[in-house]
Every structure is written in C-alpha cells, then in structure tokens.
Amino acid sequence: MTIMFHLIIVAALIAGLYVYLVETLFKKSKCKGTADMTGKTVIITGGNTGIGKATALDLAGRGARVILACRNQKKAEAAINDIKKDTGSIDILYMKLDLGSLKSVQAFAENFLKSESRLDVLINNAGLVADGLTEDGFGIEFGVNHLGHFLLTCLLLDRLKESPAARVITLSSMAYRWGKIDFDSLIATKDLGSGRYSWQFFQAYCNSKLCNALFTHELAKRMKGTNVTCYSVHPGVVKTELSRHVSLWQKVFIEPVARLLFLDPNTGAQTTLHCAVQEGIEHFSGRYFSCCAVEEVSPKAKDDAVAKKLWEVSERLSGLS
C-alpha cells in the first residue's frame, strides 16, 4: 500500500511538472494576423528547413514573393517544391547565402539589389549551435548568428527604407538571459567564446543571442523617423536542425526530450509571423517578442551603451567602417 501511494505521488509530480513545462517553457501560441502579403517581397535566411521553412510556407500562402537565402541549394530547391505544392504559389525562389562568409553576404546583397526592386520584410532566421570558425576567422556562432545578419541587414537598409512599411525580424532566444559580451576578447580573438565542450559553445550561443537582442534595440533607434521597424523574437524551444552539429551522445540525450516536449517548426514560426504580419505593432519597434506578444527583457538586453558599442564593433569587424 505504501509503495502504491509513493508511486501515485511520483506520477502526480511528474504529471504536474509536465503540465507546468507545457504551459511555460514549451507554451504554444498562434499568430492571429490576417494580413494579405500580395505584392510584398520577403527574405528569409535559412528558409529551407525548420522554422524558416514553416515561415516561408505561411507567407507564400499569403501571396508574398519569398526568397530563401540559404547555403544549401539542394535543400532549398526541395523546400521550394514543397511550398509550391502546398500553397500553389510560384513566386518563391532561392538565392545563395552563406552567413559564415562576409564575401558571400556581400555577393547576396549585390545580387538581390540588382534583381529585386523591393524589400518589405527581412527575416534573420538562420542560426546554429556549434564550435569552429567562419571563413573569415570569426567564432562560428558569433559570425553566423550575429555578424552575418548584421552585415546583411545594413547592406539592405536602403532598399527596406523604400518600402511603405518595412520590417526586420531577428530570431533571438530566451538564451540571451545567460549571454555576456566581452568586447576586449571579441576584438582580440574575433570570438565571443569557444571550446570543445558543449557548455562552452552553448555559452557562445547565448552570447550570440544577446547580440541579436541588442542589435534589434540599436537598429530601432537608428531607424527612428523612417518606415522601418524591427523586432527580436524568441520562437520557443523548437525541434529543428539548430543542434545538428552537437555530438552523438548529446543527441541521444536531447532527442527523447525533444520528441516529448519541444515545439514543432510550424508552432515555432508563429511569433515570427506575428511580427511579420500583425498590424499595429510599429510602436513596439526594437522590442522582444515571445508567444506572439511583446515581453520585457532584462536590462542587459536593452543597455543603450552596450548596444551602441556592439554596433560600432560589428561595423569594424564586418568591414563597413
């Protein structure tokens, strides 16, 4: 009887924990915006898989011209075929972009500006958790998650300003809360943290997500008085290819938890979509969104001095100044 009682207590605790997690860390939300996107052009980095593909599918279904800015052409073409089949849209195309190469970012921007007459929404979606260096010698998480997107956005700002109402959406993460920026180390090593152990490159990931939030904060200040607004997004804890570079034993640990609790990419895309199509959120430019709603961030994610310095350092590192 005592054993049975203990088993019931344990089961109740596990069930309670599951419900708590589902309603907090793994909470679902739904974009309620009904805006038609016909005639608008959208760029989505990393749009060939996961959250990016789900975002592209929805926006293509709303009539947008969608450009998948990706490294892997084969995956992009497969994604395009899927999206065309599901939406009936033929206005979706691939342009090569490797965010780990500043040269590739510049080439993408030149190609886009020559071939496309407008840009209404830029979605800085691509990201990774990994160790290593970019083509230019930057830590790969800083280089891809922040610096590549920083350069891309800056190179496209003039075209965005020509749109009647342009938006820049950058995927951050709740992981920004554990992030920190050591500018001396960044300038000296071109990195915000690295190492062969998982906790080391997870810390670097958190640092890059803090950069995303600070970038959005500073971008909003610089775009004040223009028709460009910007938002950073926590998509939720989503089952994507984000951690495809982690070790096999880590995948063995993560996979069962992911199957049980993690959000699917379509659910993970909802807050991005909210920021892309919801009317009346312009006064929230520079803010951080989670579960399709604006959310207050910790002081370090809206520190004016740090955000300004990150922008200036990023300009130097990316060759803009």
Side-chain angles (χ1 to χ4, degrees), residues 29 174 177 232-236 271 275 288-295:
S29 60
M174 64 179 290
R177 298 171 186 174
S232 61
V233 166
H234 170 54
T271 304
C275 291
Y288 172 91
F289 281 73
S290 178
C291 291
C292 296
V294 69
E295 183 176 292

Side-chain angles (χ1 to χ4, degrees), residues 245-288:
H245 301 289
V246 302
S247 65
L248 179 60
W249 75 265
Q250 289 166 330
K251 288 180 180 178
V252 169
F253 171 75
I254 293 170
E255 189 63 26
V257 179
R259 287 181 180 275
L260 180 65
L261 288 171
F262 284 20
L263 306 178
D264 62 81
N266 180 61
T267 305
Q270 296 305 304
T271 304
T272 298
L273 291 168
H274 174 84
C275 291
V277 306
Q278 185 64 46
E279 297 177 353
I281 65 169
E282 289 79 9
H283 61 292
F284 289 126
S285 185
R287 300 287 297 277
Y288 172 91

Side-chain angles (χ1 to χ4, degrees), residues 12-59:
L13 289 172
I14 292 172
L17 177 61
Y18 176 80
V19 170
Y20 172 77
L21 290 173
V22 167
E23 291 300 318
T24 54
L25 189 59
F26 302 97
K27 186 177 181 180
K28 296 181 180 181
S29 60
K30 178 70 176 174
C31 170
K32 296 177 181 178
T34 59
D36 179 50
M37 297 291 284
T38 302
K40 295 187 176 182
T41 298
V42 180
I43 291 174
I44 305 173
T45 67
N48 58 355
T49 187
I51 297 170
K53 182 180 176 183
T55 303
L57 178 66
D58 184 284
L59 295 176

Side-chain angles (χ1 to χ4, degrees), residues 124-195:
N124 294 321
N125 166 82
L128 50 72
V129 178
D131 188 31
L133 300 175
T134 68
E135 177 181 293
D136 306 287
F138 295 101
I140 195 164
E141 291 170 308
F142 172 76
V144 171
N145 297 354
H146 168 67
L147 194 63
H149 281 128
F150 171 85
L151 177 60
L152 177 67
T153 304
C154 289
L155 293 175
L156 298 177
L157 274 179
D158 285 343
R159 184 58 49 86
L160 283 161
K161 290 176 184 176
E162 294 172 5
S163 169
R167 296 184 180 186
V168 178
I169 299 151
T170 301
L171 268 71
S172 181
S173 165
M174 64 179 290
Y176 86 83
R177 298 171 186 174
W178 301 290
K180 55 187 178 182
I181 300 176
D182 182 336
F183 285 108
D184 291 336
S185 175
L186 175 59
I187 293 167
T189 67
K190 301 170 73 173
D191 201 352
L192 279 177
S194 61

Side-chain angles (χ1 to χ4, degrees), residues 90-118:
I90 58 170
D91 212 4
I92 179 165
L93 65 151
Y94 159 78
M95 286 190 183
K96 183 174 178 60
L97 171 66
D98 180 357
L99 289 161
S101 163
L102 297 179
K103 184 178 179 181
S104 175
V105 175
Q106 292 165 343
F108 172 89
E110 289 174 12
N111 182 29
F112 175 84
L113 293 172
K114 285 178 183 176
S115 61
E116 299 291 325
S117 61
R118 67 180 295 163

Side-chain angles (χ1 to χ4, degrees), residues 9 22-23 34 37 70 73 80 89 97-98 107 130 143 150 167 179 186 210 219 221 226 287 291 303 307 310 313:
I9 293 296
V22 167
E23 291 300 318
T34 59
M37 297 291 284
C70 315
Q73 183 173 354
I80 289 170
S89 172
L97 171 66
D98 180 357
F150 171 85
R167 296 184 180 186
L186 175 59
L210 176 58
L219 178 61
K221 293 174 68 177
T226 74
R287 300 287 297 277
C291 291
D303 186 307
L310 176 64
V313 170

